[in-house]
Amino acid sequence: MTLAEGDFPEVTLVTPVGSHIVWDWNGTLLHDIDAVMAATNASFAELGFAPITLETYRDLYVVPVPKFYERLMGRLPTDAEWLVMDEAFHRHYWDAAADAGLAEGALELLRDWQAAGLTQSLLSLAPHDKLVPLVRAHGIDGHFLRVDGRTGPSHTTKAGHLVRHLRALEETGVTAGRTVLIGDAVDDALAAAHVGARAVLYTGGSHSRSSLESAGVPVVDTLAEAVRAARELAG
């Protein structure tokens, strides 16, 4: 069965109890960069492109993803090329993602934040019907007020997705001004700024440190540092 956006067990809080974290999934809570690289180079091989290194990937990666391919190819892919690239990447990625684990310390950080009476949710551009079973498989679904994956086109950005996510959380007392988005991409910082929230960017995912620092928000090397920064920003 395909799940609709927001079709996920939710915890209802009537009164806000403090700071709220919106977690990114791919490259943040889920340490999937090896799966991403395997899928990227496998899909490139299908299209006759040479493989790339992790360093090159992190230096060039950008959202929306067609712009990433433009940086690699020197031009935007045609609509037909994009469909082939997108399908090939996701076919290889989801085969590899099953073996990806959570980032170091992620489970303990989720537990501690919740135990402190603070709230958190998960927002991803991964397809919702793929995201939900994977989050449940890692046994962390109970830590989130809400989990939202993407239900629209794969070349979207996160800003509009975050608007809808926070709107759905309004009844729990979550406000943008007390929210920090923790992610691994410049697009995460742009999305947070779009809604009036804060952002902390983590170097364990898709972007290089220099790329992340261009966003003008705190950049950290561990999720523990990210949570400490989030507490300071939203406190």
Side-chain angles (χ1 to χ4, degrees), residues 170-223:
E170 285 178 352
E171 66 181 27
T172 71
V174 170
T175 63
R178 296 299 297 264
T179 294
V180 178
L181 194 162
I182 298 178
D184 70 315
V186 172
D187 192 49
D188 293 311
L190 295 175
H194 180 75
V195 301
R198 307 290 185 88
V200 178
L201 300 181
Y202 164 60
T203 61
S206 58
H207 280 49
S208 66
R209 171 175 277 277
S210 61
S211 176
L212 296 178
E213 288 174 342
S214 71
V217 302
V219 176
V220 299
D221 296 319
T222 68
L223 292 188

Side-chain angles (χ1 to χ4, degrees), residues 90-114:
H90 284 96
R91 174 163 36 87
H92 290 291
Y93 172 79
W94 290 107
D95 284 344
D99 295 325
L102 297 177
E104 183 178 356
L107 180 58
E108 293 77 14
L109 291 167
L110 294 173
R111 287 174 176 169
D112 291 349
W113 189 263
Q114 185 177 35

Side-chain angles (χ1 to χ4, degrees), residues 130-188:
K130 296 277 192 181
L131 173 68
V132 168
L134 192 54
V135 173
R136 286 178 172 153
H138 283 284
I140 59 174
D141 48 301
H143 296 298
F144 304 114
L145 296 183
R146 185 177 183 90
V147 172
D148 282 326
R150 173 180 54 80
T151 58
S154 59
H155 55 275
T156 187
T157 59
K158 191 169 276 186
H161 198 24
L162 181 58
V163 169
R164 293 186 293 273
H165 183 73
L166 291 180
R167 187 175 296 140
L169 287 170
E170 285 178 352
E171 66 181 27
T172 71
V174 170
T175 63
R178 296 299 297 264
T179 294
V180 178
L181 194 162
I182 298 178
D184 70 315
V186 172
D187 192 49
D188 293 311

Side-chain angles (χ1 to χ4, degrees), residues 2 19 24 30 49 53 82 87 89 102 106 160 168 171 179-180 207:
T2 300
S19 306
D24 173 58
L30 185 68
F49 297 156
T53 65
W82 165 248
E87 187 281 329
F89 173 83
L102 297 177
E171 66 181 27
T179 294
V180 178
H207 280 49

Side-chain angles (χ1 to χ4, degrees), residues 32-46:
D32 64 347
I33 191 63
D34 293 335
V36 168
M37 289 306 302
T40 297
N41 283 326
S43 63
F44 280 9
E46 288 191 19

